[in-house]
Amino acid sequence: MPYFESPVDGTRLHFVDYGPASGQVIVFVNSSYFGTEMWEYQMLPLAEAGFRCVGFDRRGHGRSDDVWGGFDLDSLADDVDGLLRHLDLRQVTLVGHSLGTAEVVRCLTRHGAARVARVALVAGMAPGPARSADHPAGVDPALVEAGNAEFRRDRAAFFADGARAFFALDLPGNELSEAYVQSMVDRCHGATARAGAALGDLVVTLNVAPEIAKLDLPVLVVHGTHDASAPIELTGRRAAELAPDSTFKVYENAGHGLFATHREQLTADLREFAEGR
C-alpha cells in the first residue's frame, strides 16, 4: 500500500491515487473519523471521467499510523501539504469535508497556493461553529465540550445514535440502505479514540474566519440546509460570505453526510468546479 511520511514527525500516512496520472488533479481531505472510503461516490466516477483523484487517511485514521501527537491544526495542515509535495501535484482542486475544510484553509494560508488552483468546502466546519469574539452567534463552547464528553464516555453509542441526523435520514430524498449506514458507523471506528477525542477538542476553539477572508482563489462552498453537525448559518453561509471569490451551493434537505445522500449532485458540482466552469 502507498504511504508517505508526514513532514511534521515522520508519521506514515496512507494515500490513494486513482485515475490517469495526466488528469486534472482533485485532492480530497476527509471528515473526522473517516478515511478515503467516504469519497467513493465522488472519487471513482471522477477518476473514470479522467480526473486524477488523490486522498489520504489522516493520522490516527484508517490505514495511517496510530500516533499520540500532531492533532493541532497546523500539523494537520502540514500533512495535507506533505501529500501535495510528495506527489508533486500542481493545479490542484482541493476538496475538504467537515473538519477537513479547516485543514484545507490552514494549508493554504500556511503554505501558500502555488500548487492549488481552487478550493471546495463541503459541509464544512470552517470557519468554526463555536462562539468567539468575532462570532457571537456561534454555539456555546460548553455544548461542544459536552458532546466531546459523550464521545469519550461511549463513542460506539455516539456514532450509532448520531447516524440518522448525520445523513438527515428522516427528510425526503435522503434514502440510504441500512447496510450502508451501518457500514459507515463501523468505518468511524477506523479512527482511534485518541484521534477522535483530539479532533473534537480542536472544534471547541476552531476559528479560521480571518484566513478564509484572505483566500485569493475560487472557492466553492457546498452545504445542506439540515446539517446538524455544522449548521449552515454558522459555517457554510459564513464561509461563502467571507471568501472573496466564492460560489455558494445549498442542497435542500441535505445533512452532513451529503457526500452519500446527494452523491450525484455533489459529484457533478465538483466536476464542473474542477473544470473551471
Side-chain angles (χ1 to χ4, degrees):
M1 291 189 292
Y3 287 87
F4 72 101
E5 290 190 356
S6 164
V8 176
D9 55 10
T11 295
R12 289 194 327 143
L13 302 173
H14 175 264
F15 70 92
V16 298
D17 189 348
Y18 296 157
S22 60
Q24 289 178 276
V25 183
I26 306 176
V27 173
F28 294 84
V29 182
N30 312 327
S31 170
S32 301
Y33 318 129
F34 294 123
T36 54
E37 71 283 341
M38 69 166 282
W39 297 109
E40 67 174 294
Y41 297 124
Q42 285 73 51
M43 293 185 78
L44 298 184
L46 287 170
E48 290 168 352
F51 291 87
R52 182 180 180 184
C53 295
V54 178
F56 77 108
D57 293 346
R58 183 187 290 104
R59 57 180 56 227
H61 289 61
R63 289 162 284 185
S64 291
D65 284 353
D66 177 7
V67 293
W68 178 259
F71 292 102
D72 60 285
L73 191 55
D74 281 351
S75 294
L76 295 171
D78 289 353
D79 287 346
V80 176
D81 184 67
L83 174 65
L84 303 185
R85 294 180 183 277
H86 175 74
L87 295 175
D88 192 23
L89 301 176
R90 307 279 178 173
Q91 290 296 301
V92 170
T93 298
L94 193 52
V95 182
H97 177 268
S98 191
L99 185 61
T101 60
E103 291 165 84
V104 162
V105 171
R106 180 60 57 85
C107 178
L108 291 170
T109 56
R110 188 168 166 82
H111 297 283
R115 295 177 180 273
V116 180
R118 58 191 64 84
V119 174
L121 308 179
V122 179
M125 284 288 181
R131 183 185 306 154
S132 62
D134 61 352
H135 185 212
V139 175
D140 184 345
L143 293 179
V144 182
E145 291 172 342
N148 293 343
E150 284 299 306
F151 175 90
R152 285 179 165 85
R153 186 182 66 80
D154 188 345
R155 65 190 178 110
F158 180 89
F159 294 141
D161 294 347
R164 293 198 69 81
F166 183 88
F167 292 111
L169 294 178
D170 295 326
L171 295 174
N174 297 336
E175 291 79 16
L176 296 172
S177 70
E178 291 183 10
Y180 175 81
V181 174
Q182 184 58 55
S183 75
M184 296 305 283
V185 170
D186 294 341
R187 293 279 191 182
C188 288
H189 291 279
T192 66
R194 162 59 182 167
L199 295 184
D201 290 341
L202 188 59
V203 174
V204 178
T205 58
L206 182 66
N207 183 6
V208 293
E211 296 168 68
I212 294 177
K214 295 177 181 178
L215 295 180
D216 187 21
L217 73 180
V219 177
L220 172 66
V221 180
V222 175
H223 221 95
T225 57
H226 288 73
D227 191 325
S229 301
I232 187 171
E233 298 299 331
L234 305 182
T235 54
R237 193 175 301 281
R238 288 180 64 227
E241 292 172 350
L242 285 164
D245 182 8
S246 69
T247 300
F248 188 31
K249 296 207 171 187
V250 177
Y251 289 8
E252 192 65 33
N253 289 338
H256 206 51
L258 51 75
F259 56 86
T261 57
H262 292 63
R263 63 188 73 173
E264 293 179 359
Q265 185 177 359
L266 178 59
T267 300
D269 284 339
L270 290 177
R271 177 172 184 170
E272 179 180 282
F273 184 60
E275 291 175 339
R277 293 189 282 125

